[in-house]
Every structure is written in C-alpha cells, then in structure tokens.
Amino acid sequence: MRTVIAGGHGQIALRLERLLAARGDEAAGIIRKAEQADDLREAGAEPVVLDLESASVDEVAEGLRGADAAVFAAGAGPGSGTARKETVDKAAAILFADAAVKAGVRRLVVVSSMGADPNRQGDEVFDVYLRAKGEADAYVRGLNALDWTILRPGQLTDDAGTGLVRLEAHTGRGPIPRDDVAAVLAELVDTSATAGLTLELISGPVPVSVAVKSVAGN
C-alpha cells in the first residue's frame, strides 16, 4: 500500500512514515524544503519536494498519482500568524483534497483539531486557526469522490505512546501523545470502513486497533 502524506516533515508525519515503512508499506512525504529530505529517507519515506502554498492542483495531483491513500498532516505550526492559518491550515488542505480527487485517490485522512469550527468567532490567532481547520473540514466533507475520515486529536504531547486511546465522535478534551496519533493514522489509512466519520482522539483505555475497528462502519 502506498500512502502520500502532506506535511511530511511534521512531528506526527515522521512518526507515521516510520510505522508505515516498518510494516512494509510505501510512504511518501510532501515537504517544502529539500534539506528535509534526508530526515524522511531515514524514516523510510520517499521525499516529494512541493510547496503546498504555491503549487497548482495539477502539481499536487502528480505527487499523489499511484497512491492508495493520502493523509493531510500539514500545519502552519505554532508561532505562525493568521495569514498562514489561511494559506496552510485551510487553503493547502482544500488543495490537497482537490488533488486527491484529480489523481483518483479515494482514501483521504485529514488531521484536524479538536474544536475546529467554520463558525468560530474571534480574531485571535487560535480563533483563526480553529475556523480555518473547520472550513477545510467542511469542504472535505462535501467531496463525494473521496472516502474521507477527519481525525481531531486533543492536546498533543511528546510523551511516549501507550497504544491506548479513546476514539469516538465526541470524547471531550484531553491529551494524546503524538506517537498514538500516528498509530491511529496508520490504522485509519487501511480502514476505509471509517469513511464519512469525524472522530475525536484522546488517551484512553482501548488498544488502537480495537478502537479503530469499533468505530469502523458506525
């Protein structure tokens, strides 16, 4: 199975690439800077240098061609201003979804954020971020050509993963190690029975594979 990951040098993406490579899958990561390529190769992934803030839908579709699944894990990141929330968290997510449609890649998993809401009020950076994520999620939900799943993790931590989570339509707030987010993503790309679901994710009592199977088809 071949999976292409937008935001391929991100902390969750690098973990996901290692997991996919370890199980014998092909992983490719879209990165903005060529100097990040060695980190991806070390993780077992093929680097694809492409700037999602300036690329055309055709260019991104070319990077997606031949993939079985696509994961949007890009983000403007902490410290970025409101402008990049619009260009990365919203516009790049929409571009990536459109490119998946064009490339004929049906399976798309989007890493969103708990609290993402297209109607979020306010002008603070965090308000703009949650609104941008919410607008991107709403756009993806409208694409019938995709088998999409939207994953909304709680507060991300660098703690070691436990492999135990709560994955439900509504979990309430809580922390989740990036290790465990990556483990859930690795299961989701392979589980198209979760298509059409928006899921929240925090640490919990259920093994990752069991948690994904239990929501599949609901």
Side-chain angles (χ1 to χ4, degrees):
M1 182 168 177
R2 178 176 172 82
T3 301
V4 177
I5 302 155
H9 194 258
Q11 295 186 67
I12 290 171
L14 284 167
R15 287 166 166 86
L16 174 59
E17 287 153 9
R18 287 188 198 101
L19 290 175
L20 295 174
R23 75 182 188 196
D25 283 2
E26 275 183 50
I30 294 176
I31 52 175
R32 208 157 43 99
K33 300 173 182 168
E35 58 265 30
Q36 296 170 334
D38 284 346
D39 290 340
L40 268 75
R41 291 191 192 98
E42 199 178 301
E46 172 199 331
V48 178
V49 181
L50 197 60
D51 186 349
L52 293 176
E53 288 179 271
S54 60
S56 69
V57 71
D58 288 327
E59 288 169 326
V60 182
E62 195 51 48
L64 280 162
R65 239 171 265 296
D68 301 291
V71 176
F72 185 82
S80 58
T82 55
R84 293 201 70 228
K85 306 304 181 196
E86 289 289 328
T87 58
V88 180
D89 294 296
K90 178 183 172 183
I94 288 171
L95 173 73
F96 191 67
D98 285 342
V101 173
K102 186 150 199 164
V105 181
R106 283 204 66 94
R107 184 68 178 131
L108 173 68
V109 181
V110 175
V111 182
S112 182
S113 175
M114 200 172 280
D117 179 359
N119 300 311
R120 172 86 177 197
Q121 299 299 306
D123 300 314
E124 297 294 322
V125 173
F126 194 58
D127 297 321
V128 174
Y129 167 72
L130 289 177
R131 190 160 58 241
K133 290 299 254 183
E135 287 170 344
D137 291 354
Y139 183 85
V140 168
R141 285 197 193 106
L143 295 174
N144 295 327
L146 294 177
D147 295 328
W148 54 264
T149 301
I150 293 168
L151 183 66
R152 293 178 166 177
Q155 180 199 346
L156 298 170
T157 75
D158 287 324
D159 297 339
T162 64
L164 297 170
V165 299
R166 260 188 85 188
L167 179 69
E168 297 162 20
H170 301 288
T171 60
R173 297 195 172 274
I176 180 80
R178 287 178 172 86
D179 286 352
D180 290 334
V181 178
V184 168
L185 289 170
E187 291 279 338
L188 286 174
V189 293
D190 220 6
T191 313
S192 57
T194 59
L197 299 180
T198 300
L199 300 166
E200 293 184 349
L201 174 67
I202 58 173
S203 291
V206 183
V208 165
S209 59
V210 176
V212 172
K213 283 188 184 78
S214 72
V215 296
N218 286 347

